[in-house]
Amino acid sequence: KICSQGFIHAGDVTQNPKRFMAAMQSLHFADYPLSIKAGVHFTLCGGSIAKLGTKYHHEKYLPKIDSLELPGCYGMTELGHGSNVMAIETTAKYDPSSKMFDIFTPSNLASKFWIGGAAQHGKICAVFAQLYDAENKWQGPHVFLVRIRDDDGNLMPNVRIGDLSSKMGLEGVDNGQIWFDHVKVPREDMLNRYSNIDENGKFSSSIPTVQQRFGTMIGGLTTGRFLIAAAAVDACKIALIISVRYSLKRTQFGNKVIMEYITHQRRLIPALAMTYALDFSMQFLSNMMTDPKAAKEVHYLSSGLKAMATWKKTEILQLCREAC
């Protein structure tokens, strides 16, 4: 229903980021696993296409992302590398004779691991791979759109996927492990807004170094970090609404509501204050994200807030459970 009513558009990641983030945040209050799966589909997969793709990719793929005709996932993390994306082992070698990229998983440690949406429903994956041009020269990690299932949901040739089951509390997210055994991808399906391989295999880029290109390739994670932090803050809001309301109704030792006890106040009120502080910080960050000149500051702040908000969410939710 969300997709059929046009509630969320992946293109808004770049065209109207505040509208996109508000739409995604609304899912946090309805169904948290759904918001995670939608985040992978719209924010990571769709957002990568919007930010790193060209008009060709936007017209070919974004309408199908918005309609859920092409459920998407995000193939960055590998079993052996985790956050060290620069060191990923999956390769994308260009063959000028076929005008195709060869996507290959050279070892089990190079398999794409814990990929949300991959185990059951994903049909397209934004795959991070080390790019090699026609002269076999390394050009750093780039992103390729790889079909992992056909329109009927069957695995594509030379694609293998294992089901990793769900994370605790996120039973609605199908997490998978993906291996590519020389999967052929058309040259046009490299997201080439900033870098390109021509038909003869010659590489060109508007960004001069591998390190700078890498920073651009992972820049799309900022929106995802914001939404993870926002989801943590929203979880705190829900828990505190329940706990505070309950504390103002539940009586103990006569007609005295438990919120009147100082021990109860000292648990819930600091948690409430922290949640307000985090929410104000998220609003500040949201406004910063509309300013292209603040990209570096947004990166720092979103990374820090993601860590702080998720740590505090765990602490506050447990406190609310114990208090009420």
Side-chain angles (χ1 to χ4, degrees), residues 25 28-29 229-245 271-272 274-280 282-283 312-313 316-317 320:
Q25 278 187 265
H28 300 161
F29 295 95
V233 177
D234 291 340
C236 294
K237 292 177 187 177
I238 294 169
L240 284 163
I241 287 170
I242 295 169
S243 297
V244 170
R245 286 178 177 175
L272 185 62
M274 174 58 71
T275 302
Y276 268 106
L278 288 170
D279 192 55
F280 292 147
M282 296 305 302
Q283 292 179 37
K312 288 299 178 181
K313 178 201 70 172
I316 289 172
L317 262 60
C320 288

Side-chain angles (χ1 to χ4, degrees), residues 249-315:
K249 292 182 177 179
R250 164 73 188 275
T251 58
Q252 186 72 290
F253 302 110
N255 294 322
K256 189 173 183 178
V257 297
I258 59 176
M259 183 59 96
E260 292 185 22
Y261 291 99
I262 192 69
T263 52
H264 212 74
Q265 295 173 17
R266 285 180 175 174
R267 303 191 79 188
L268 291 184
I269 292 177
L272 185 62
M274 174 58 71
T275 302
Y276 268 106
L278 288 170
D279 192 55
F280 292 147
S281 299
M282 296 305 302
Q283 292 179 37
F284 179 77
L285 175 59
S286 176
N287 291 329
M288 284 183 66
M289 290 175 70
T290 62
D291 181 4
K293 296 179 181 179
K296 184 173 289 187
E297 290 80 3
V298 166
H299 171 75
Y300 297 151
L301 188 56
S302 64
S303 299
L305 276 173
K306 175 188 172 185
M308 175 61 77
T310 51
W311 287 334
K312 288 299 178 181
K313 178 201 70 172
T314 301
E315 177 184 319

Side-chain angles (χ1 to χ4, degrees), residues 62-82:
L62 288 185
K64 295 180 180 179
I65 294 290
D66 288 347
S67 68
L68 207 60
E69 182 180 341
L70 275 182
C73 52
Y74 191 69
M76 174 187 278
T77 303
E78 294 184 356
L79 177 59
H81 299 285

Side-chain angles (χ1 to χ4, degrees), residues 47-63:
S48 293
I49 297 171
K51 287 188 173 184
L52 303 177
T54 61
K55 183 179 178 181
Y56 166 81
H57 305 102
H58 298 166
E59 292 179 347
K60 181 177 179 180
Y61 290 108
L62 288 185

